[in-house]
Amino acid sequence: MANAWKRESNKQPRYLSPILLLLSLSLFLLFLFFFSARSTLNPPNSTLYVPQVYPIPPFDCLKSPQAHPVVANIVENLKYPFLYSLSDFGSLPDKPHKNIVRLLKGKPFRKPDISATIQQLLEGMKGRNGLVVDVGANVGMASFAAAVMGFKVLAFEPVIDNLLRICDGIWFNRVADLVTVFEAAVSDRIGNITFYKLVGRLDNSAVSATGAKLAFKSNEEIALQVRTIPLDELVTDSEPVLLLKIDVQGWEYHVLKGAVKLLSRKKDEAPYLIYEEDERLLQASNSSAKEIRDFLRGVGYSHCVQHGTDAHCTKD
């Protein structure tokens, strides 16, 4: 063993050939360049790595119970189609919801008017950075219309029946990174408020029991307490908002009052506004269309056009 060790120790040491040495150095430099480039494109302190912190926590779909049964389908005649899940099934089995009948016939769900409107408006805003805010999201027909186009959405819905259907749609449309939903009613103050759900139409609700019955024929309602928050408490001054849609069965004036800072932004930064303007529902919540129009003119929204029961408002 000693002689063998001596023979090995007399050999000359081996070195890497110049070609192998150059190749190793090139790979090492390429490795450094790759990771330095990634660090430059996505710096550690960029918004990509810092989650948005809100004054109230978003609704956690992964921790919520699964809605059942699930009846979902794609929507017809949209440039950017999406799927949504029904909350109202009609009177089964005798008078099912019209979309269930369409589904059984192999047809898509009928196109909701608000979905088409949202996509038509956002088509002209593609490439711009900003949020779509959906107040009174129901089952997400406006939220998903925007999200499948690539827009980020903040959705507000106080009724658990609807929230579970929104969670269905977030999964079906693969938009979890674009849609943030809150279990809350938007108003002009932080606190709680009594909401009324109608028996037989649990997917719809109103702050006013009278307003709820005006919107949908029913003789019985269920009262529940829900959290309220103003938009100005949740949308920061630096956060651009492209479109604000409000459909809250007569509570629109209170939503608008809680968004004074957002609506008072200068023309190029103020959101396009869509809100439901149904005089009967507004009066049931102790407000009026005139009161809303006067308020909007006070924050610079001087141009409003009526589309059915919706008003579309912009700043001149």
Side-chain angles (χ1 to χ4, degrees), residues 2 22 82 98 118 125 194-195 292:
L22 183 61
F82 62 90
K98 60 186 178 182
I118 293 292
M125 301 182 189
T194 302
F195 248 57
I292 289 178

PDB file of all heavy atoms in Angstrom, residues 2 22 82 98 118 125 194-195 292:
ATOM      1  N   ALA A   2       1.998   1.207   0.731  1.00  0.00           N
ATOM      2  CA  ALA A   2       2.868   2.383   0.793  1.00  0.00           C
ATOM      3  C   ALA A   2       3.459   2.684  -0.556  1.00  0.00           C
ATOM      4  O   ALA A   2       3.528   3.822  -0.992  1.00  0.00           O
ATOM      5  CB  ALA A   2       3.960   2.171   1.832  1.00  0.00           C
ATOM      6  N   LEU A  22     -13.341  27.795 -20.163  1.00  0.00           N
ATOM      7  CA  LEU A  22     -14.103  28.870 -20.786  1.00  0.00           C
ATOM      8  C   LEU A  22     -15.596  28.576 -20.757  1.00  0.00           C
ATOM      9  O   LEU A  22     -16.430  29.457 -20.487  1.00  0.00           O
ATOM     10  CB  LEU A  22     -13.625  29.064 -22.229  1.00  0.00           C
ATOM     11  CG  LEU A  22     -14.284  30.205 -23.017  1.00  0.00           C
ATOM     12  CD1 LEU A  22     -14.028  31.540 -22.338  1.00  0.00           C
ATOM     13  CD2 LEU A  22     -13.752  30.221 -24.450  1.00  0.00           C
ATOM     14  N   PHE A  82     -68.104  34.235 -20.499  1.00  0.00           N
ATOM     15  CA  PHE A  82     -67.750  33.752 -19.168  1.00  0.00           C
ATOM     16  C   PHE A  82     -68.858  32.833 -18.679  1.00  0.00           C
ATOM     17  O   PHE A  82     -69.930  32.735 -19.283  1.00  0.00           O
ATOM     18  CB  PHE A  82     -67.556  34.916 -18.188  1.00  0.00           C
ATOM     19  CG  PHE A  82     -68.786  35.748 -17.956  1.00  0.00           C
ATOM     20  CD1 PHE A  82     -69.697  35.435 -16.945  1.00  0.00           C
ATOM     21  CD2 PHE A  82     -69.052  36.850 -18.751  1.00  0.00           C
ATOM     22  CE1 PHE A  82     -70.831  36.189 -16.738  1.00  0.00           C
ATOM     23  CE2 PHE A  82     -70.193  37.630 -18.541  1.00  0.00           C
ATOM     24  CZ  PHE A  82     -71.085  37.290 -17.539  1.00  0.00           C
ATOM     25  N   LYS A  98     -85.702  30.282 -16.428  1.00  0.00           N
ATOM     26  CA  LYS A  98     -85.585  30.225 -17.889  1.00  0.00           C
ATOM     27  C   LYS A  98     -84.217  29.734 -18.345  1.00  0.00           C
ATOM     28  O   LYS A  98     -84.088  29.084 -19.392  1.00  0.00           O
ATOM     29  CB  LYS A  98     -85.882  31.587 -18.506  1.00  0.00           C
ATOM     30  CG  LYS A  98     -84.947  32.700 -18.051  1.00  0.00           C
ATOM     31  CD  LYS A  98     -85.385  34.054 -18.576  1.00  0.00           C
ATOM     32  CE  LYS A  98     -84.478  35.162 -18.072  1.00  0.00           C
ATOM     33  NZ  LYS A  98     -84.914  36.505 -18.533  1.00  0.00           N
ATOM     34  N   ILE A 118     -71.000  46.408 -19.686  1.00  0.00           N
ATOM     35  CA  ILE A 118     -69.672  46.498 -19.080  1.00  0.00           C
ATOM     36  C   ILE A 118     -68.587  46.230 -20.117  1.00  0.00           C
ATOM     37  O   ILE A 118     -67.595  46.969 -20.218  1.00  0.00           O
ATOM     38  CB  ILE A 118     -69.554  45.499 -17.908  1.00  0.00           C
ATOM     39  CG1 ILE A 118     -70.470  45.904 -16.747  1.00  0.00           C
ATOM     40  CG2 ILE A 118     -68.108  45.382 -17.443  1.00  0.00           C
ATOM     41  CD1 ILE A 118     -70.074  47.159 -16.028  1.00  0.00           C
ATOM     42  N   MET A 125     -61.351  50.977 -22.980  1.00  0.00           N
ATOM     43  CA  MET A 125     -60.400  51.281 -21.911  1.00  0.00           C
ATOM     44  C   MET A 125     -59.261  50.267 -21.838  1.00  0.00           C
ATOM     45  O   MET A 125     -58.436  50.337 -20.927  1.00  0.00           O
ATOM     46  CB  MET A 125     -61.127  51.313 -20.555  1.00  0.00           C
ATOM     47  CG  MET A 125     -62.253  52.319 -20.461  1.00  0.00           C
ATOM     48  SD  MET A 125     -63.016  52.309 -18.806  1.00  0.00           S
ATOM     49  CE  MET A 125     -64.444  53.348 -19.061  1.00  0.00           C
ATOM     50  N   THR A 194     -79.397  46.628   8.755  1.00  0.00           N
ATOM     51  CA  THR A 194     -80.335  45.522   8.541  1.00  0.00           C
ATOM     52  C   THR A 194     -80.657  45.404   7.059  1.00  0.00           C
ATOM     53  O   THR A 194     -81.013  46.396   6.403  1.00  0.00           O
ATOM     54  CB  THR A 194     -81.631  45.745   9.335  1.00  0.00           C
ATOM     55  OG1 THR A 194     -81.311  45.866  10.726  1.00  0.00           O
ATOM     56  CG2 THR A 194     -82.582  44.570   9.143  1.00  0.00           C
ATOM     57  N   PHE A 195     -80.500  44.197   6.544  1.00  0.00           N
ATOM     58  CA  PHE A 195     -80.835  43.886   5.165  1.00  0.00           C
ATOM     59  C   PHE A 195     -82.023  42.935   5.162  1.00  0.00           C
ATOM     60  O   PHE A 195     -82.248  42.205   6.125  1.00  0.00           O
ATOM     61  CB  PHE A 195     -79.635  43.216   4.467  1.00  0.00           C
ATOM     62  CG  PHE A 195     -79.015  44.069   3.395  1.00  0.00           C
ATOM     63  CD1 PHE A 195     -78.534  45.326   3.684  1.00  0.00           C
ATOM     64  CD2 PHE A 195     -78.901  43.602   2.095  1.00  0.00           C
ATOM     65  CE1 PHE A 195     -77.954  46.114   2.703  1.00  0.00           C
ATOM     66  CE2 PHE A 195     -78.317  44.380   1.111  1.00  0.00           C
ATOM     67  CZ  PHE A 195     -77.851  45.637   1.420  1.00  0.00           C
ATOM     68  N   ILE A 292     -79.889  62.544  -5.999  1.00  0.00           N
ATOM     69  CA  ILE A 292     -78.664  61.935  -6.527  1.00  0.00           C
ATOM     70  C   ILE A 292     -78.047  62.816  -7.603  1.00  0.00           C
ATOM     71  O   ILE A 292     -76.828  63.065  -7.610  1.00  0.00           O
ATOM     72  CB  ILE A 292     -78.953  60.526  -7.065  1.00  0.00           C
ATOM     73  CG1 ILE A 292     -79.245  59.569  -5.906  1.00  0.00           C
ATOM     74  CG2 ILE A 292     -77.778  60.013  -7.895  1.00  0.00           C
ATOM     75  CD1 ILE A 292     -79.579  58.166  -6.337  1.00  0.00           C
TER      76      ILE A 292
END
